[in-house]
Amino acid sequence: MSSYAILVDGGFIKRKLGSARAPMTAENFEAFIDRLKAEPCLQGLRLHRIYFYDALPFEGEAKKPLNGGKVNFGASPIVARSKRLHVDLVRVPYVALRMGELGFRGWQLKTMPLPEEQDTVEITAADLVPVIQQKGVDMRLGLDIAALTLKDQVKVIVLVAGDSDFVPAMKFARREGAQLFLAPLGHGIKEPMREHADLVLEIT
């Protein structure tokens, strides 16, 4: 029996299945996976594994400009929630976490309207937000696509993502003989992603 693997962009699916007020849980994720596995195109195939790509939360400290004091990112409820999610996800059958990291890159101004009748604007520490960048996640996803196809471990890859940066990996999978199914969860995708997917799954 041929096998398939599900590769999930964690940042993407957390935005699609959750919100700031009601973040995605492992239960939400598992319910989505059940809907995905029920797709007709996957019937008769054996699930090899579900790869979930995310980043470890940033837990360092940083001094905030403009007398904003020192910020301990590790004390944020978001960090605790993210770590809890990762613990819960590894208990979902067939799930393997692939973890990158988050790096602190300084501070930037919040997006805010500028007054039309003033020449200057007063900026305080409250107007600054941290710049946190994700590293290594997309690379791990691309490497796994290469390994799964080159080792002939699966015949079908289901990619849950909406970022066109994954197009080179999608093209590689198809060149190596695998079929690539894309699940963008209703997200508007660019034409190259649609072009290099064998099938776009209309699942939300």
Side-chain angles (χ1 to χ4, degrees):
M1 179 184 294
S2 296
S3 299
Y4 71 99
I6 302 172
L7 281 64
V8 182
D9 179 350
F12 173 78
I13 200 168
K14 284 189 288 186
R15 292 191 299 273
K16 289 296 182 179
L17 298 186
S19 65
R21 290 187 177 183
M24 186 193 83
T25 64
E27 290 76 16
N28 300 148
F29 179 73
E30 190 167 11
F32 163 75
I33 290 297
D34 287 342
R35 295 196 302 274
L36 182 57
K37 290 191 297 185
E39 286 288 298
C41 60
L42 299 177
Q43 302 312 300
L45 300 176
R46 182 181 67 86
L47 175 62
H48 172 69
R49 191 162 292 130
I50 304 162
Y51 298 92
F52 190 96
Y53 301 85
D54 204 6
L56 295 168
F58 178 70
E59 300 187 69
E61 294 184 345
K63 186 176 180 180
K64 197 171 188 179
L66 305 178
N67 296 318
K70 185 174 286 188
V71 178
N72 178 9
F73 292 99
S76 166
I78 295 175
V79 170
R81 191 164 62 232
S82 179
K83 293 169 75 172
R84 180 74 252 170
L85 175 63
H86 294 154
V87 169
D88 292 342
L89 283 174
V90 297
R91 296 182 175 140
V92 176
Y94 298 99
V95 167
L97 296 186
R98 292 287 191 265
M99 306 303 292
E101 60 185 28
L102 295 178
F104 175 68
R105 297 293 179 266
W107 302 88
Q108 67 181 19
L109 285 173
K110 294 179 182 177
T111 301
M112 54 185 179
L114 296 175
E116 296 181 359
E117 299 178 359
Q118 293 177 223
D119 295 328
T120 60
V121 177
E122 182 178 346
I123 296 172
T124 68
D127 298 316
L128 301 175
V129 293
V131 179
I132 307 291
Q133 291 183 341
Q134 182 176 275
K135 297 193 305 181
V137 175
D138 291 2
M139 178 190 69
R140 284 171 173 79
L141 192 152
L143 288 174
D144 280 343
I145 284 181
L148 289 167
T149 52
L150 289 174
K151 295 178 181 178
D152 201 26
Q153 292 178 317
V154 299
K155 293 298 184 183
V156 175
I157 290 175
V158 182
L159 177 61
V160 182
D163 191 339
S164 58
D165 286 349
F166 295 126
V167 166
M170 296 168 66
K171 293 169 66 175
F172 182 90
R174 299 214 305 168
R175 283 199 305 267
E176 293 301 319
Q179 289 184 318
L180 195 293
F181 298 167
L182 181 65
L185 306 187
H187 186 76
I189 56 174
K190 294 183 178 179
E191 191 56 35
M193 288 198 84
R194 193 174 296 275
E195 176 186 349
H196 295 292
D198 291 294
L199 187 63
V200 177
L201 304 178
E202 303 297 336
I203 181 173
T204 58

